[in-house]
Amino acid sequence: MKDYIKIDEWKIIEEGFDPHLNKISESIFSLGNGRMGGRANFEEAYSGDTLQGNYVAGVYYPDKTRVGWWKNGYPEYFAKVLNAANWVGIDIAIDGEQLDLAKCKVDSFYRELNMQEGYLKRTFTATLPSGKQVSVEAIRFCSMADDETGAIRYTITPLNFDGEATITPYIDGDVMNKDANYDEKFWDEISKQAWENGGYVQLRTKKTGFEVATGMMIAVSQDGKTLNPELKPVEKEKYIAQKFNVKLIANTPLNIYKYAANVSSQNHEAKDLPQIAKATIQRVFDKGFDQMLQEQAAAWAEKWKHNDIIIEGDASAQQGIRFNIFQLNQTYTGEDARLNIGPKGFTGEKYGGSTYWDTEAYCVPFYLATAPQKVTRNLLYYRYKQLDKAIENAKLLGFKDGAALYPMVTMDGTECHNEWEITFEEIHRNGAIAFAIFNYVRYTGDHDFLAEFGWEVLIAIARFWSQRVNWSEDRQQYVMLGVTGPNEYENNINNNWYTSTMATWCMDYALTVAEYIKSTHPQRFQELAEKVNYREQEESQKFREIIEKMYYPYDEKRQIFLQQDGYLDKEQILVKDLPASDRPINQKWSWDRILRSCFIKQADVLQGIYFFEDNYDIDTIRRNFDFYEPRTVHESSLSPCVHAILAAKLGDEARAYEFYLRTSRLDLDDYNNDTEDGCHITSMAGTWMSVVEGFGGMRVRDNKLWFNPFLPAKWQSFSFHVGFRGALLNIKVSKAGVQISNQTSTEVSVVVYDQEGLIKGNDTVTFDVK
Ligand code: BGC
């Protein structure tokens, strides 16, 4: 764990330069706008330890799988989001000496991520080996208002000399993914060109054929006056620069403005990309840096209006939650149904930038409450569009008749994961996709979605489960063998309670929805039944029989759901009795030792209890929580939030708060010692859930929002926004009461501590705090 980020409610601040922390900071201070983004690499050259990363959403490469022992059914490729052209670079040489913080004496250094207005600022004073001292201020952002663009203002001031600077702003597409399986480069150059004060490079990805044109335009001023230095184009493979010399005058700031655009063949005709890049940059160039920055602040103000969480009395918690919300908004805006939320967003390469069950299980609740309805609809539609591939994937593994197995990891619908215990066995992901449909309809009331798209997905998933179980003669029940639950520290287990519970729930829900469509949209039902070849009588009977005769492991003595058959044969040790030097076990123990131990990576039985909470009485929830949590090492960032919510439900405020702290500052404090690879974007939605569903106790039941809040002891108050069925509510919990303000004219009914109240348009109602 680290403790170097300065506390501020709206800013992430690093003071002083420690090269050992640089890669962590590059992740934390990342920028994005849903369409493009990148790590907080320096503009000027840096020869120290760095992970260079710029990414364009949806642009990926299918890297050939690399495994030790090939197994039939493995995917051929692992699609990964590509490290794309670097548009931020500006090389600076002063009287022939390169500015490189790894080679200078860094006299002062300050880095700030301004979350309120959405920009990254860095200032430093450095002494070059020659003794020349400069101060620099660099401000940069990826525009939220114009999402194919970004801009930089780089100001350099010589402090103790006059001299000559050679400045080279560039676009460099000769980049590599650190995680490339065969050390290959994934881009080919298509074209490049320099024009008066700009230039672009157009690249095409190998195999996938995505084309991206990345371009820049430059403006220079000194002491407030525009300069027109002579620009000399420099061209290399996949690289273009405009080099110029300027006289530096002591204590006189020189501003270099770099306007950039990333335009891709996903959104434009490939052949037009050069002109579009040029026109796009010209547009923002004409607008100018200050106006772009103002528009950026306005776009962020609009976002914060809908999703800010305010915590009074705990600046560290405030900073933590805002950082999570900020990064989620930078990663996914919901504008484009082809995009999704990679576990690292634009902050690193790990996990390939692909879609996991994280989206449905963790991110959907966040976007449901904080973004327009279409944003979540787009996330669900993304999976609908990939249904054919999920059916193909299941077929490849031996399933039939329209059964679908969605991939564990994907970019375009094809499976990309290639560890058998996950690819073939971690099939519970199918359940999360069905659950997200249920969750969306429960939250929005958009039942039409079911008839339009949802049921097709549900029936295909239900078919998969009906074929994945088998009848046990011995038990006279259906069983599900050879699975991996959410707890990846157990593989190839039989009858994982969570997976089996999800499976029968999916079958039941698919049947319920079928009945609903049949009665409300009979003609559509007919069409759908024909389209998917639904053998209503036979299939519904089969589903019902499985639902009725499914086996779920249970321990009578402890009265708990058993994670899987045989779990209690394991030596039962508690995490608190593990020596600190053994943790995290995934870094300290052999895999074999982990598999034989009782330790649980992340919520498994408790994940199921979280999803289906209303099916269980409070004592059942408590018994399971008290048994499983002490055996859970929380070595997935997705774990603490589910525990925070359940602890809150159980009235264990102190533990709920403890779990919240682990999730909220996970990256800021580098809790798991892995932030340098990128931030844990999907678990950030879990942090939001910990506040809203945990401390706020928010649930949706009977088309209403229910709240059961408590105020963490350290806080004076907390408040959050949720959008619900056309209304925008602000819920503030303080010692004075639970105050709900309706910021729209649409009235809504809420239930607070089981007491129902109508919140009229633009009205505020206060309930007593329990
Ligand atoms: C977790 C998975 C998760 C993945 C990506 C793994 O460590 O165990 O549940 O889907 O990370 O976030």
Side-chain angles (χ1 to χ4, degrees), residues 342-344 350-351 354-359 362 408-409 417 422 426 428 485-489 586 601-603 635-639 680-683:
K344 300 269 168 228
K350 208 171 166 200
Y351 294 114
S354 314
T355 308
Y356 285 66
W357 74 301
D358 305 27
T359 293
Y362 295 87
M408 183 67 191
V409 182
H417 207 286
I422 293 183
E426 207 177 329
H428 69 81
N487 168 24
E488 292 174 344
Y489 290 177
N586 67 13
K601 181 181 182 188
Q602 66 200 91
E635 286 177 12
S636 159
S637 63
L638 301 175
S639 191
H680 300 79
I681 301 293
T682 47
S683 85

Side-chain angles (χ1 to χ4, degrees), residues 380-397:
L380 303 186
Y381 186 63
Y382 173 95
R383 295 288 197 177
Y384 172 75
K385 296 269 285 177
Q386 298 183 350
L387 178 58
D388 288 347
K389 292 213 168 146
I391 293 175
E392 215 175 283
N393 181 39
K395 218 166 165 182
L396 213 69
L397 305 185

Side-chain angles (χ1 to χ4, degrees), residues 135-307:
S135 87
V136 167
E137 180 193 84
I139 294 186
R140 124 170 151 235
F141 57 91
C142 292
S143 172
M144 273 280 177
D146 198 343
D147 66 7
E148 292 178 320
T149 68
I152 303 169
R153 184 179 67 206
Y154 193 92
T155 308
I156 178 161
T157 311
L159 297 181
N160 58 355
F161 67 100
D162 292 340
E164 188 173 57
T166 306
I167 297 175
T168 318
Y170 63 87
I171 303 287
D172 184 8
D174 195 19
V175 292
M176 249 186 93
N177 269 53
K178 188 183 163 223
D179 67 354
N181 284 343
Y182 296 92
D183 289 342
E184 273 175 277
K185 290 186 176 169
F186 301 143
W187 295 98
D188 286 327
E189 181 183 310
I190 300 298
S191 70
K192 63 175 175 252
Q193 199 197 350
W195 66 88
E196 316 80 81
N197 56 346
Y200 80 89
V201 176
Q202 182 182 9
L203 304 168
R204 183 193 288 145
T205 57
K206 293 181 180 154
K207 291 187 193 156
T208 33
F210 290 111
E211 291 194 20
V212 178
T214 306
M216 61 168 186
M217 277 175 79
I218 310 299
V220 191
S221 68
Q222 198 167 33
D223 207 14
K225 286 189 270 322
T226 304
L227 292 189
N228 289 306
E230 191 196 338
L231 302 175
K232 290 185 220 88
V234 184
E235 295 191 7
K236 289 191 266 182
E237 201 198 338
K238 303 179 204 167
Y239 173 102
I240 198 133
Q242 289 280 15
K243 196 173 189 166
F244 58 93
N245 290 336
V246 203
K247 289 260 161 290
L248 289 178
I249 307 158
N251 297 310
T252 307
L254 176 81
N255 284 325
I256 303 143
Y257 295 92
K258 186 176 182 187
Y259 300 89
N262 262 313
V263 293
S264 99
S265 57
Q266 292 208 94
N267 305 311
H268 309 280
E269 288 279 341
K271 67 174 174 36
D272 300 335
L273 289 176
Q275 296 92 291
I276 293 173
K278 213 167 166 179
T280 306
I281 311 165
Q282 185 74 50
R283 182 173 71 236
V284 287
F285 181 88
D286 292 345
K287 214 179 253 181
F289 187 86
D290 293 340
Q291 195 187 329
M292 278 183 84
L293 198 57
Q294 270 172 30
E295 288 177 5
Q296 177 78 342
W300 272 102
E302 190 54 33
K303 292 255 174 225
W304 287 116
K305 207 159 92 188
H306 290 90
N307 54 33

Side-chain angles (χ1 to χ4, degrees), residues 613-648:
E613 174 195 279
D614 287 349
N615 295 351
Y616 309 108
D617 61 49
I618 198 81
D619 292 333
T620 304
I621 301 178
R622 177 166 292 113
R623 280 194 305 275
N624 281 280
F625 186 89
D626 288 349
F627 181 79
Y628 285 111
E629 196 290 317
R631 290 162 173 79
T632 305
V633 285
H634 305 289
E635 286 177 12
S636 159
S637 63
L638 301 175
S639 191
C641 61
V642 174
H643 291 83
I645 297 166
L646 290 179

Side-chain angles (χ1 to χ4, degrees), residues 465-473 475-482 494-495 542 546 549-551:
W465 291 122
S466 74
Q467 295 170 34
R468 186 60 168 74
V469 298
N470 67 277
W471 178 251
S472 158
E473 265 313 308
R475 286 189 191 280
Q476 289 292 300
Q477 276 176 308
Y478 284 94
V479 291
M480 183 139 31
L481 309 179
N494 293 336
N495 299 307
K542 172 100 201 267
I546 298 170
K549 298 187 181 153
M550 188 73 189
Y551 161 70

Side-chain angles (χ1 to χ4, degrees), residues 387 391 402-405 430 455-465:
L387 178 58
I391 293 175
L405 175 60
N430 248 8
W455 187 70
E456 273 183 72
V457 172
L458 295 172
I459 186 67
I461 288 177
R463 284 170 163 169
F464 170 80
W465 291 122

